[in-house]
Amino acid sequence: MNTPDTDRNARHAERMQRKKAVVDEKIAAAQNERGVLLVNTGNGKGKSSAAFGVVARALGHGMKVGVVQFIKGRSDTGEEAFFRRQPDVVWHVMGEGFTWDTQDRARDVASAQAAWEQARALLRDPAIGLVVLDELNIALKYRYLDVETVLADLRARPAAQHVIVTGRAAPPELVEAADTVTDMGLVKHAFAAGVKAMPGLEF
Amino acid sequence: MNTPDTDRNARHAERMQRKKAVVDEKIAAAQNERGVLLVNTGNGKGKSSAAFGVVARALGHGMKVGVVQFIKGRSDTGEEAFFRRQPDVVWHVMGEGFTWDTQDRARDVASAQAAWEQARALLRDPAIGLVVLDELNIALKYRYLDVETVLADLRARPAAQHVIVTGRAAPPELVEAADTVTDMGLVKHAFAAGVKAMPGLEF
């Protein structure tokens, strides 16, 4: 006679066998290898940090990585300090701060366009395995950059190159063109409960 | 007489001034400094990579970081290769693979509990500024670990220590206890369109 524990283990093994069959079948069906366009959008935390986590992952595989930060809130970010020390990373930051700090549309447009020139150079370089376009969605939302120009440059990139675009309010044209899209939903945030943006966690 | 462009710039400056006032007020209201408990859950991509991005960020601020991976799908991940090279990172991996590979509940429970012992040691060490408990939610979902034990250890950690918990299906008790919770929602995924999990991007 089986004990309840033996029964539980047997049910577990059976359930996991079924799950493994499903997972194995999906893996067998997904065999295309190519550069992926990934978009991290939504109002929650994690859009940029997920991109930076993939930068670490790519470096671990010996890839070269280019990052362009289109909107920059502060000059003391941990990610910039850390990744600028890595020999396989190229890191560009658009000149000005957040749009609500500059309050000058013409200057923002010029900065965004200069930053896009840097992005375009990375998108034409097959030696760069991963390009991160951090907060590009904000520059698109304010129409500092033309979405069709951006999409044309993304489509023309080397076939094996991965690109990650971050920022709230990804335009529908970009979502349509992307392979993988995550909407980072805000469930709750420490900031709303009065906790200051903490170094190492928020910047 | 104003040109349409001057009008547009004036409207932009006014809108940004209002936005800056709102942002400045929120920043002034959020002045508590303490360790934050962050949970990345949901079905989309980015839960673990967002945690690894914060690891890079914390290292950039000179913090020490501990990572425990509770569920591990493969042995060749870029994040592990990369972060094991960093002197300020302690990296532990739970012995076995995914649950649907082992199909042995008793062995999974023992592995998860051994991994929790490693997590607990990090959660008691005030020299560690950030602890990442990667895929802990899966171990909780399968009840390999008791959620009350986990919460008690999280509550007892040093006051300035940040913790990030990742994995689908975060239990409600953990969401309740957390300061910041993001639900990474799947909008679309390249895998479903037949693209293989790509090194540097997915692992």
Side-chain angles (χ1 to χ4, degrees):
Chain A
M1 196 183 122
N2 289 343
T3 66
D5 230 41
T6 320
D7 282 353
R8 188 182 196 186
N9 285 341
R11 282 196 311 274
H12 178 85
E14 199 184 303
R15 205 164 59 229
M16 291 300 123
Q17 256 163 5
R18 282 198 305 270
K19 186 147 193 166
K20 181 168 160 53
V22 171
V23 171
D24 287 349
E25 194 179 315
K26 284 189 188 167
I27 290 172
Q31 291 300 327
N32 296 335
E33 300 191 21
R34 62 171 168 82
V36 164
L37 174 58
L38 203 144
V39 173
N40 295 342
T41 192
N43 295 322
K45 175 172 169 57
K47 300 179 285 294
S48 295
S49 47
F52 299 138
V54 177
V55 171
R57 192 169 268 172
L59 293 173
H61 285 282
M63 292 160 66
K64 290 192 188 305
V65 179
V67 178
V68 182
Q69 293 196 287
F70 283 84
I71 309 284
K72 166 122 172 174
R74 51 197 309 157
S75 58
D76 57 348
T77 71
E79 57 269 27
E80 185 176 349
F82 179 73
F83 284 120
R84 278 202 191 274
R85 294 201 296 256
Q86 310 301 323
D88 287 333
V89 176
V90 177
W91 192 282
H92 296 297
V93 180
M94 186 175 124
E96 311 289 336
F98 276 110
T99 50
W100 48 87
D101 283 330
T102 62
Q103 300 171 13
D104 181 335
R105 189 177 150 74
R107 204 169 68 175
D108 284 349
V109 168
S111 297
Q113 285 177 351
W116 186 253
E117 289 305 316
Q118 295 177 313
R120 182 179 279 151
L122 295 168
L123 293 170
R124 288 180 179 170
D125 184 352
I128 304 283
L130 169 68
V131 177
V132 174
L133 304 172
D134 188 38
E135 302 290 7
L136 173 63
N137 290 337
I138 307 295
L140 292 169
K141 176 177 189 284
Y142 286 113
R143 298 178 190 276
Y144 295 165
L145 294 173
D146 170 51
V147 68
E148 288 308 324
T149 308
V150 164
L151 287 176
D153 286 330
L154 288 172
R155 276 192 297 266
R157 76 188 194 276
Q161 191 181 65
H162 304 301
V163 177
I164 308 180
V165 176
T166 79
R168 293 180 186 213
E173 301 91 326
L174 181 66
V175 170
E176 173 65 29
D179 300 292
T180 297
V181 179
T182 307
D183 185 276
M184 269 76 170
L186 177 74
V187 179
K188 58 177 163 175
H189 200 297
F191 189 59
V195 181
K196 197 171 175 176
M198 301 295 288
L201 196 71
E202 303 287 349
F203 64 88
Chain B
M1 196 182 124
N2 288 342
T3 64
D5 230 42
T6 321
D7 282 353
R8 188 182 197 185
N9 285 341
R11 283 196 310 275
H12 179 84
E14 199 185 301
R15 205 164 58 228
M16 291 300 124
Q17 256 165 6
R18 283 199 304 271
K19 186 146 192 167
K20 180 168 161 54
V22 170
V23 170
D24 287 350
E25 195 180 313
K26 283 189 188 167
I27 289 171
Q31 290 301 328
N32 296 335
E33 300 190 21
R34 61 171 168 81
V36 165
L37 174 57
L38 204 145
V39 173
N40 295 342
T41 192
N43 294 323
K45 176 171 168 59
K47 299 178 288 293
S48 295
S49 48
F52 300 137
V54 177
V55 171
R57 192 169 267 173
L59 293 173
H61 286 281
M63 292 160 66
K64 290 192 189 305
V65 179
V67 177
V68 182
Q69 293 195 288
F70 282 84
I71 310 284
K72 167 123 173 173
R74 50 197 308 157
S75 59
D76 57 347
T77 73
E79 58 269 28
E80 185 176 350
F82 179 74
F83 284 120
R84 278 200 190 273
R85 294 201 296 257
Q86 309 302 323
D88 287 333
V89 176
V90 177
W91 192 282
H92 296 296
V93 180
M94 187 175 123
E96 310 289 337
F98 276 110
T99 50
W100 50 86
D101 282 331
T102 62
Q103 301 172 11
D104 180 335
R105 189 180 150 79
R107 203 168 70 175
D108 283 350
V109 168
S111 297
Q113 286 178 349
W116 187 253
E117 289 306 316
Q118 295 177 313
R120 181 180 280 152
L122 295 168
L123 293 170
R124 287 180 179 170
D125 183 352
I128 303 284
L130 169 66
V131 178
V132 173
L133 304 172
D134 187 40
E135 302 289 8
L136 173 62
N137 289 337
I138 306 295
L140 291 169
K141 177 177 188 285
Y142 286 113
R143 298 179 190 276
Y144 294 166
L145 294 172
D146 171 51
V147 69
E148 289 308 326
T149 307
V150 164
L151 287 176
D153 287 328
L154 288 173
R155 276 192 297 266
R157 77 189 193 276
Q161 190 181 68
H162 304 301
V163 177
I164 308 180
V165 176
T166 79
R168 292 178 186 216
E173 300 92 325
L174 181 66
V175 169
E176 172 65 30
D179 300 293
T180 297
V181 179
T182 306
D183 185 277
M184 269 75 171
L186 176 75
V187 179
K188 58 176 162 175
H189 201 296
F191 188 60
V195 181
K196 198 170 174 175
M198 299 296 288
L201 196 72
E202 303 287 349
F203 63 89

